[in-house]
Amino acid sequence: MSSTPPPGLATAPPPPQASEQPDSDRPPWRLWMAPAAVVMGFGLGLVGTIVVGVVASAAGSSLSKPTPAVSLLEDLAFDLSFVAAALYFASIGGRPNPLVFGYRRIRWRLGIAAVVLAGISYYVVTAVYASLVKLHGTDKLPSELGVSKSTAALVGAAIFVCVIAPICEEFFFRGFIFGALRNWKIPVAGRDLGTVAAALVTGILFGLAHTGSASSQYLVPLGFLGFVLCLVRWRTRSLYPCMALHSLNNSLALGYNELHWSAPAILGLIVAALAVVGAITLPLAPKAARTQALARRT
């Protein structure tokens, strides 16, 4: 039997816990911000690479055949441009807190399970696709970064491919683009398919973003990876499993496909990359005592 307090004496319901807030993971960003951020990021990236190329040319580097160091700086400028675009649009209307981008700590068991299941699905689909299409060729980026030319180039390429790219790309695609597109309302048979559509569009954009650095045949599995990472972001409500799987995949690709390292060496690269990614991004996640308050302001 329930009772209702008389008017004027009703008390406000207690605030829900952060883990019970279905909307705390849905940022208040407009749909138009997603394509606008893509355009702005691409434009800033072009400007950044041109500036790097001009400065390097003035220092004696060739514009047609840039050195690995110049290529690394150009790629870094491009990735940071998309981060800047996401931060710009996310800050419209107020300063965003880290939770809206997915910097939310979760249980280790949940994170590991998400990475394992998503990784298996991605590699199974890629294997089937490879058998049908007869995939060949390798990723162009490591060779452009000169992994075989010097130890310094190898270290720089490993840091960029296994650490910087997973952090920046997950922040932009799963942290911002997917977050903005999730406000897309697509009612079908009483269900809202906006989140699935957002994951599909984000996956396609993620695959297309690798045009030029990867063979065109690999854009389809990369697009599927982008879709799977969106599902991980959605179900775990955290960006950390996405960054972990992205870093792990890049480390495997670099160590096995490009460098032909032994299993212990590849494992060492994976562990080192994940440790650095965690050291850089874990401080961004609010501590448990602040998570609930921040989620209520989202």
Side-chain angles (χ1 to χ4, degrees), residues 26 178 181-186 192-202 227 230-231 234-235:
R26 194 183 295 270
F178 180 59
L181 291 179
R182 280 190 62 193
N183 290 313
W184 197 358
K185 303 296 182 182
I186 306 178
D192 183 10
L193 300 183
T195 297
V196 176
L200 285 171
V201 172
T202 304
F227 172 74
C230 287
L231 298 185
W234 175 35
R235 301 308 297 175

Side-chain angles (χ1 to χ4, degrees), residues 136-152:
H136 63 274
T138 58
D139 194 348
K140 303 175 185 177
L141 183 60
S143 59
E144 292 177 354
L145 298 181
V147 294
S148 60
K149 293 183 178 180
S150 69
T151 301

Side-chain angles (χ1 to χ4, degrees), residues 81-215:
S81 295
F82 283 96
V83 171
L87 288 173
Y88 172 78
F89 286 104
S91 64
I92 295 176
R95 180 180 179 182
N97 67 63
L99 287 178
V100 295
F101 292 105
Y103 290 111
R104 176 183 283 103
R105 301 192 186 203
I106 58 174
R107 298 188 305 274
W108 281 98
R109 188 173 300 176
L110 173 61
I112 293 174
V115 169
V116 170
L117 290 175
I120 290 175
S121 65
Y122 166 63
Y123 288 118
V124 168
V125 170
T126 300
V128 173
Y129 175 80
S131 65
L132 296 174
V133 180
K134 306 299 181 183
L135 284 178
H136 63 274
T138 58
D139 194 348
K140 303 175 185 177
L141 183 60
S143 59
E144 292 177 354
L145 298 181
V147 294
S148 60
K149 293 183 178 180
S150 69
T151 301
L154 173 59
V155 172
I159 293 174
F160 178 79
V161 171
C162 305
V163 176
I164 297 176
I167 292 175
C168 293
E169 292 176 11
E170 290 310 309
F171 177 84
F172 182 74
F173 287 103
R174 258 61 62 180
F176 181 76
I177 296 296
F178 180 59
L181 291 179
R182 280 190 62 193
N183 290 313
W184 197 358
K185 303 296 182 182
I186 306 178
V188 176
R191 294 187 176 184
D192 183 10
L193 300 183
T195 297
V196 176
L200 285 171
V201 172
T202 304
I204 292 172
L205 291 174
F206 179 74
L208 292 175
H210 292 82
T211 302
S213 63
S215 172

